[in-house]
Amino acid sequence: MTAVARPPVVDIQSVGKVYAQGDVVFEALKGVSVQIGQGELVALMGPSGSGKTTLMQIIGLLDRPSSGAYHLAGRDVTTLSENERAEARNEDIGFVFQAFHLLPRLNLLENVEVPLTYAGVPPRERRERALAVLERVGLADKARNLPSQISGGQKQRVAVARALAGRPRLLLADEPTGNLDTRTGEEVMALFGDLHAEGTTVVIVTHEDDIGAYAERVIRVRDGRIESDRRQVPKVAHRPPAIGSAP
């Protein structure tokens, strides 16, 4: 396994995951150990059924390992209660999904504010933080627009802003370009590259080699194990002149 010089945000040791349905037992992960350091841009890759989605769900505290240990930012999260896990997710992890999950009746600013509302952030601070992250992703001028009034690439940028609003230690993106055309997908990958350059830890779950090429490190999962873990010179995403304008 590739050594990680930076302090690990994700530290998974000998993690196994078993699913049982009646007499059928499926071992999705088999003694997986992996570390992801502060500020890394990592692609987590593998074919369907490889275990990468299960590993992503464990990293994101959406599922529990059957065995092994998981430390998130130095904290043992393996045996947390459901309430403690929800709190840790809210504090430490920002999620970006393929389907955007924007609320259609809320404008972009209000969509970004939603997780801050659940976190109990006061209204004034909530509004300021939401505007700041919309500015960061280049959409402050569209804060009052509804999701139906913007492009697919812009919707994903709003989803990234919403994830960043909570100031997470880890940004976890699951197939973030899956619903986007090539040009718009490159815009989103350029944004992830910017966040990485600013020191954000980014893990992108993808099955696409051309998306994995943008990462500085690629972890491949197959048959429930880490098949390879290598560093590479990342491809640079070049933004088209009109960012986020593709329909």
Side-chain angles (χ1 to χ4, degrees), residues 15 20 43 60 77 81 84 93 111 184 203 242 247:
V15 159
V77 293
S81 69
E84 289 170 333
I93 305 172
N111 265 281
T184 312
V203 176

Side-chain angles (χ1 to χ4, degrees), residues 18-222:
V18 176
Y19 296 100
Q21 266 193 332
D23 295 332
V24 179
V25 176
F26 174 65
E27 194 174 6
L29 294 177
K30 305 168 184 176
V32 169
S33 295
V34 65
Q35 290 184 331
I36 297 173
Q38 174 65 44
E40 287 196 276
L41 174 55
V42 177
L44 180 60
M45 304 188 67
S48 177
S50 64
K52 76 175 186 299
T53 299
T54 301
L55 181 56
M56 181 273 292
Q57 290 173 337
I58 288 174
I59 290 173
L61 298 178
L62 300 171
D63 202 353
R64 294 178 181 273
S66 302
S67 59
Y70 175 22
H71 286 75
L72 176 62
R75 179 187 183 188
D76 186 354
V77 293
T78 311
T79 59
L80 295 183
S81 69
E82 288 304 320
N83 286 341
E84 289 170 333
R85 287 162 62 81
E87 183 179 333
R89 277 196 304 270
N90 193 53
E91 291 179 354
D92 292 329
I93 305 172
F95 293 93
V96 179
F97 297 103
Q98 177 177 339
F100 316 138
H101 296 306
L102 302 182
L103 299 175
R105 296 184 181 180
L106 300 184
N107 64 35
L108 307 191
L109 182 63
E110 291 166 337
N111 265 281
V112 174
E113 286 186 278
V114 167
L116 300 179
T117 301
Y118 289 133
V121 177
R124 182 173 179 177
E125 180 184 351
R126 193 166 68 219
R127 186 61 50 98
E128 290 173 352
R129 284 168 62 171
L131 282 170
V133 290
L134 281 172
E135 177 71 35
R136 190 175 184 184
V137 302
L139 288 173
D141 61 332
K142 298 186 182 297
R144 305 296 176 181
N145 286 37
L146 294 173
S148 61
Q149 297 172 314
I150 61 174
S151 70
Q154 289 169 329
K155 288 176 183 175
Q156 194 59 291
R157 285 175 170 269
V158 175
V160 172
R162 181 181 56 196
L164 293 175
R167 300 171 180 166
R169 298 175 185 270
L170 172 66
L171 186 62
L172 188 57
D174 186 15
E175 302 286 1
T177 63
N179 282 342
L180 306 176
D181 59 48
T182 301
R183 175 183 181 276
T184 312
E186 186 157 346
E187 295 174 10
V188 171
M189 294 311 299
L191 175 57
F192 285 130
D194 289 345
L195 295 172
H196 162 59
E198 294 167 11
T200 303
T201 306
V202 182
V203 176
I204 298 171
V205 181
T206 182
H207 67 279
E208 300 180 50
D209 287 331
D210 56 343
I211 297 300
Y214 292 105
E216 64 175 353
R217 179 181 171 198
V218 176
I219 300 171
R220 292 187 181 272
V221 183
R222 184 177 293 274

